[in-house]
Amino acid sequence: MVRIAVAGASGYAGGELLRLLLAHPDVEIGTLTAGGNAGSRLGEHQPHLLPLADRVLAESTPEELAGHDVVFLALPHGRSATLAAQLGDDTLVIDCGADHRLSDADAWDRWYGGEHAGHWPYGLPELPGGRDALRGTSRIAVPGCYPTVTSLAMAPALVAGLVAPDVVITAVTGTSGAGKSLKPHLLGAEVMGSLSAYGVGGTHRHTPEIIQNLTNACGRRVSVSFTPVLAPLPRGILASCSAPLAEGVDPSSVHEAYAKAYAGEPFVHLLPEGTWPATSSTLGANTVAVGVTVDRDANRLVAVAAIDNLTKGTAGGAIQCMNLALGIPETAGLSTTGIAP
Amino acid sequence: MVRIAVAGASGYAGGELLRLLLAHPDVEIGTLTAGGNAGSRLGEHQPHLLPLADRVLAESTPEELAGHDVVFLALPHGRSATLAAQLGDDTLVIDCGADHRLSDADAWDRWYGGEHAGHWPYGLPELPGGRDALRGTSRIAVPGCYPTVTSLAMAPALVAGLVAPDVVITAVTGTSGAGKSLKPHLLGAEVMGSLSAYGVGGTHRHTPEIIQNLTNACGRRVSVSFTPVLAPLPRGILASCSAPLAEGVDPSSVHEAYAKAYAGEPFVHLLPEGTWPATSSTLGANTVAVGVTVDRDANRLVAVAAIDNLTKGTAGGAIQCMNLALGIPETAGLSTTGIAP
Amino acid sequence: MVRIAVAGASGYAGGELLRLLLAHPDVEIGTLTAGGNAGSRLGEHQPHLLPLADRVLAESTPEELAGHDVVFLALPHGRSATLAAQLGDDTLVIDCGADHRLSDADAWDRWYGGEHAGHWPYGLPELPGGRDALRGTSRIAVPGCYPTVTSLAMAPALVAGLVAPDVVITAVTGTSGAGKSLKPHLLGAEVMGSLSAYGVGGTHRHTPEIIQNLTNACGRRVSVSFTPVLAPLPRGILASCSAPLAEGVDPSSVHEAYAKAYAGEPFVHLLPEGTWPATSSTLGANTVAVGVTVDRDANRLVAVAAIDNLTKGTAGGAIQCMNLALGIPETAGLSTTGIAP
Amino acid sequence: MVRIAVAGASGYAGGELLRLLLAHPDVEIGTLTAGGNAGSRLGEHQPHLLPLADRVLAESTPEELAGHDVVFLALPHGRSATLAAQLGDDTLVIDCGADHRLSDADAWDRWYGGEHAGHWPYGLPELPGGRDALRGTSRIAVPGCYPTVTSLAMAPALVAGLVAPDVVITAVTGTSGAGKSLKPHLLGAEVMGSLSAYGVGGTHRHTPEIIQNLTNACGRRVSVSFTPVLAPLPRGILASCSAPLAEGVDPSSVHEAYAKAYAGEPFVHLLPEGTWPATSSTLGANTVAVGVTVDRDANRLVAVAAIDNLTKGTAGGAIQCMNLALGIPETAGLSTTGIAP
């Protein structure tokens, strides 16, 4: 049994990690820690995790986290780096925050500010070379939720040269993506019955991460116009992505290219032509549902993809990477069955 | 007092027309008709319209609709043309359906099928020349909800030559946009907690109407890639629109260009730079809220706009046009105050 | 024109007051004040109130509020009394908070704590004697949202002696009832997809107010078991209320008794027998929708009532009272038309 | 391995059965059948059940269902009896419909109409004697969703004589409880943003089943006043239940009595005093969360309970019963971990 700890267990990412780890056949749940909630029972913050209700949250210190095979960090951005530096290389540290995602120190400084903590192996196995980077590693940077779904929507088209490297994305998200933050615009009364855009014009911090993924995947500098939209549901992201069809590409070859790119992928579900994903099909599952077509009038390839932002978009993706790093079967503890309706 | 009739009074568009007309100072509500619901009380179908609860719905025939100054047609696509042909030119006929929106008979045939009923003055006063087309007319084609919000989001950029005529749109809608149709995917249990794409790849019927509006506005053939998304709210559309910045355009001139285009427009609310619309601010109001910026990395102009699909997107827009056609003050009976939270 | 001021203009009750006052034919909107938000533009907090977007919020002091005909106080509980004491009797002060609702100082101390500010005329015109208490008054205590809907659901039965004075109530509410409070359980991600009970077992502060209303109405001490439930919608309360049928009462007389009690009431809509209210029909309207029947097996009278908690439940009720106090027509500025769907 | 079939696999109950059975360690999923959807792929109706997407639905005939160890019937009321009669006693038949729940033929005739198909062992193990009735049986009537949650909320109080047998219940439900029925009031646009009562006054068909359960549990005729409320969420029931405290009962003994009644129950979670359940904690889990207190002013015991209507309220409860009937560990394939937020 792999002994795991979770730092940030009272938040949304921490809660989803624990939900999935409770059903994982090969792990034993060790220490759970928190920031301001240290000292309280987990049941106060995660009443849905009945089997762990009476666990008391420890402080998020290296001492409390020591002695585990795997430590998941589900902390606010900027808090992981210092903590991780104090955990030995014999511990697999999996950072669900942003600290170790970007390889470019300038990009880090522009988008997050402050000193760059460096770049860890990136936890998106379905990207080209993704699995190789993870096997046997002791450090993993878990992707952001938007970069997960949008990179997987567009990478096959860019890798196969089906499109020009000018990607336009509008992605609609449920509100858990913002975490358990006490901000007025996240109140239920504000959120329900409303759709709102934010971070428009390339100002959302996930933009450089999407560019990095797609650029790495296809070997050309990719431009990305990214608009996030907040919608009234707790979980789920639906990403609408497109790019100009490259010259000479036969539109009827597009679906086949995606089918080839994702053949054998356990968690990518390419929908039949003419059908489109809904986030409800992925609720609580580690699935990415992808549909793709060509708009012949507009001469653009259009890919639409859906995930559960807390599962494949955060905690499920993290566990998939843990499995790969430790040599456990990649799908252990993860499901392709959603909860609906 | 202007005496009005509403055909299709038991549906969502009909209900919203009546809600607004009840508060209009210059109208008197005459005959209300329906298809399958003829013979029943309006209160059974529109319990929120208490003052009209005991009105009995008549059949949607020319005889029942005769003798009114204005007849609103809120009927399924394809039903308006025949009925309208039997109403005299002394009656102002306002068609909320699609029958008379497209000027191109081939486009009609491709997107809707069957014989083209012809093209009526188009009811979007905020487009260039929009008001002139409506004054004194006896026939008005009310725009579709998506064309309303997306055309107003992008027209100023295209008219001023700020962008190349290659527009990419993802628009997210509440479910009343589909009407009161008994389809499994519109059931509450399916809709709540889910985001889903449909009509992807340029297959949604509003695509040719958006192209027509933008092409007419700027005098160049505009290409539009349009992806609609269904979200869990009753009302509201948020449209995320973008196009490549034209060469030589100064990004800092963009907001000013929109301010100039919409100066004096009573129902267009251009948000301050750096702020973005939410549909909740427009609930029940005739407002279009628009935000615009330039993504300098991606070199695209991005405009985001929000409306209430039943108000400015259908019934409010229709009444605004009625006011213009009849020479009543354009804002009579219409509000810029939304209902929130 | 009546010149009004609103203290607490950046909250939900304040916002709804302004939405309604903007459409009121006889008022002019004067000073708007706030606590922590003083100094900022109203548009930052109430983006749906476009016509007032550029108003700057003053401090909630007697000096700022002086010089108006009417001052609405939409403040947290306990803040109204001191402020009101500094406003002269020539000003109509309408308190939307709890400070002046309870007549019993012991009840105030038990439920709210601290010194009792005294009891003002109670703003529920539809209760027996309700209107008389309000005509010409310069002080009005606006009822709580739950007391409004539940008192009107049960008063006719108690007054007519149809039931024993043992009332059981479960009332389900949208989340705006909790105000714009930054509490974790009010976050959208927590609220959507969940129903939760709170204040169970007679611990909710509205309990003594409901008891007071029903006891005053029928002249007998009424016992009330009250359970509130939080549901995923922004606005609306649905109250399910019942009491044992009194001996000898003919079940078929019950609906008629309610019809008589509410004959001529402009804002009470008694539904036909066998039909039941939905909150959506009352959205934004000042309507109370009531249905009533007898469960003959259980031998109980059951009344179900719906309101918009921010309209009839707070701001609409307050304006109705203002109209009465000032001798303006009672329905001025208030609607019985809801917004749906 | 136990080989199972599901009749009615394209509906909500059928889908939830399959979701849970996919994760059950001891079963193999055999034939899936449907009514009008026979001949189509399961993936068209249940896109969240990826592992079964390509299964083709057979007709719901005895021939197709023969040859399985267990047959789950998830059919409209009135359809199970005939089909079940043609399945041998060597097959465990588990009826999720109402046909075999009521022991009283007169009650069947009054509430459902037509001939009574007889009474099968009732699938609520947590009721007194509940487990004994299920061990080794070949026929199980799965309770309705409301009877499950309300019976478990009140049975301990009645069994221990803590209350008079006059129970008042208001239960709020998500819309999947109505099944995948194409009715206007179940459309997303109608449901979202609204609360509505239905079946008021003792007219809901689950009333006699609740009475039967509670009467059987305590040996006295129990009266039940039951009001169901529809709320805008896909899944979950929150039941607010109360009854007059019996004379001489010490209020401080109530929680302890519930603790004793449910000691060792794997799926009943009694909350600590002063805390109350939320349906979100039970989403997708087989848990019943129960809180109980005494309202000393009103002299009533109040119990509030929450379930997922499709899991513990239908499919999870059915599988729990299957486990008991077959001698599999009762909790196999069922979870006490919910999905939140």
Side-chain angles (χ1 to χ4, degrees), chain C residues 179-194:
Chain C
K180 221 184 257 188
S181 324
L182 294 180
K183 296 178 183 160
H185 78 283
L186 295 176
L187 286 174
E190 305 285 329
V191 162
M192 291 182 290
S194 192

Side-chain angles (χ1 to χ4, degrees), chain B residues 186-203:
Chain B
L186 296 176
L187 286 175
E190 305 285 327
V191 163
M192 293 183 289
S194 192
L195 297 161
S196 56
Y198 68 105
V200 183
T203 63

Side-chain angles (χ1 to χ4, degrees), chain B residues 12 45 175-176 179-193 231-234, chain D residues 12 45 175-176 179-193 231-234:
Chain B
Y12 289 153
H45 312 288
T175 65
S176 63
K180 221 183 258 189
S181 324
L182 296 179
K183 295 178 184 160
H185 78 284
L186 296 176
L187 286 175
E190 305 285 327
V191 163
M192 293 183 289
L233 68 170
Chain D
Y12 289 153
H45 312 287
T175 65
S176 64
K180 220 183 261 188
S181 323
L182 295 180
K183 295 177 184 160
H185 77 285
L186 296 175
L187 286 175
E190 305 285 329
V191 163
M192 292 183 291
L233 69 170

Side-chain angles (χ1 to χ4, degrees), chain D:
Chain D
M1 297 296 279
V2 176
R3 193 161 164 81
I4 67 95
V6 174
S10 61
Y12 289 153
E16 184 71 353
L17 281 164
L18 292 170
R19 182 182 77 83
L20 295 168
L21 292 168
L22 277 166
H24 196 296
D26 304 314
V27 310
E28 186 188 356
I29 297 175
T31 300
L32 309 180
T33 77
N37 293 323
S40 61
R41 290 170 58 253
L42 185 69
E44 291 177 38
H45 312 287
Q46 312 281 15
H48 60 299
L49 302 176
L50 272 192
L52 300 172
D54 292 327
R55 290 289 194 92
V56 175
L57 296 168
E59 295 278 350
S60 291
T61 60
E63 293 71 29
E64 296 283 0
L65 295 167
H68 296 85
D69 301 310
V70 183
V71 173
F72 289 94
L73 304 177
L75 303 171
H77 300 314
R79 301 281 176 82
S80 303
T82 316
L83 197 53
Q86 295 172 269
L87 296 168
D89 274 354
D90 52 340
T91 304
L92 171 55
V93 181
I94 301 180
D95 184 5
C96 296
D99 296 29
H100 305 92
R101 291 176 189 159
L102 297 182
S103 56
D104 179 347
D106 289 344
W108 175 265
D109 187 48
R110 173 175 168 198
W111 295 94
Y112 293 90
E115 203 183 344
H116 188 219
H119 182 227
W120 287 357
Y122 189 77
L124 201 44
E126 294 87 354
L127 286 181
R131 271 184 192 82
D132 295 340
L134 296 169
R135 290 209 178 87
T137 184
S138 68
R139 293 292 184 271
I140 298 171
V142 178
C145 50
Y146 286 125
T148 293
V149 65
T150 57
S151 300
L152 296 181
M154 289 306 292
L158 287 158
V159 168
L162 305 177
V163 294
D166 289 310
V167 174
V168 177
I169 299 169
T170 296
V172 192
T173 187
T175 65
S176 64
K180 220 183 261 188
S181 323
L182 295 180
K183 295 177 184 160
H185 77 285
L186 296 175
L187 286 175
E190 305 285 329
V191 163
M192 292 183 291
S194 191
L195 297 162
S196 55
Y198 68 105
V200 183
T203 64
H204 191 285
R205 286 170 164 184
H206 283 176
T207 308
E209 190 180 339
I210 302 170
I211 292 173
Q212 172 178 296
N213 289 350
L214 294 179
T215 297
N216 287 348
C218 73
R220 286 185 295 171
R221 173 77 191 175
V222 177
S223 144
V224 171
S225 163
F226 173 52
T227 306
V229 173
L230 197 65
L233 69 170
R235 289 179 178 223
I237 298 180
L238 190 90
S240 164
C241 314
S242 70
L245 204 65
E247 241 178 276
V249 169
D250 177 2
S252 67
S253 72
V254 161
H255 196 273
E256 179 59 26
Y258 271 68
K260 199 181 294 180
Y262 288 133
E265 280 299 342
F267 294 118
V268 181
H269 175 58
L270 179 64
L271 279 83
E273 292 195 60
T275 59
W276 301 102
T279 60
S280 51
S281 299
T282 68
L283 187 73
N286 204 46
T287 320
V288 186
V290 182
V292 69
T293 194
V294 171
D295 180 335
R296 297 184 187 216
D297 292 321
N299 201 40
R300 295 180 75 90
L301 179 147
V302 185
V304 178
I307 59 168
D308 183 323
N309 58 299
L310 291 180
T311 317
K312 178 60 179 168
T314 307
I319 290 169
Q320 182 184 356
C321 294
M322 175 193 80
N323 291 343
L324 278 166
L326 299 179
I328 297 171
E330 185 174 339
T331 60
L334 298 169
S335 174
T336 57
T337 306
I339 298 207

Side-chain angles (χ1 to χ4, degrees), chain B residues 264-290:
Chain B
E265 281 297 344
F267 294 119
V268 181
H269 175 57
L270 179 64
L271 280 82
E273 292 196 60
T275 58
W276 302 102
T279 60
S280 52
S281 299
T282 68
L283 187 73
N286 204 45
T287 321
V288 186
V290 182

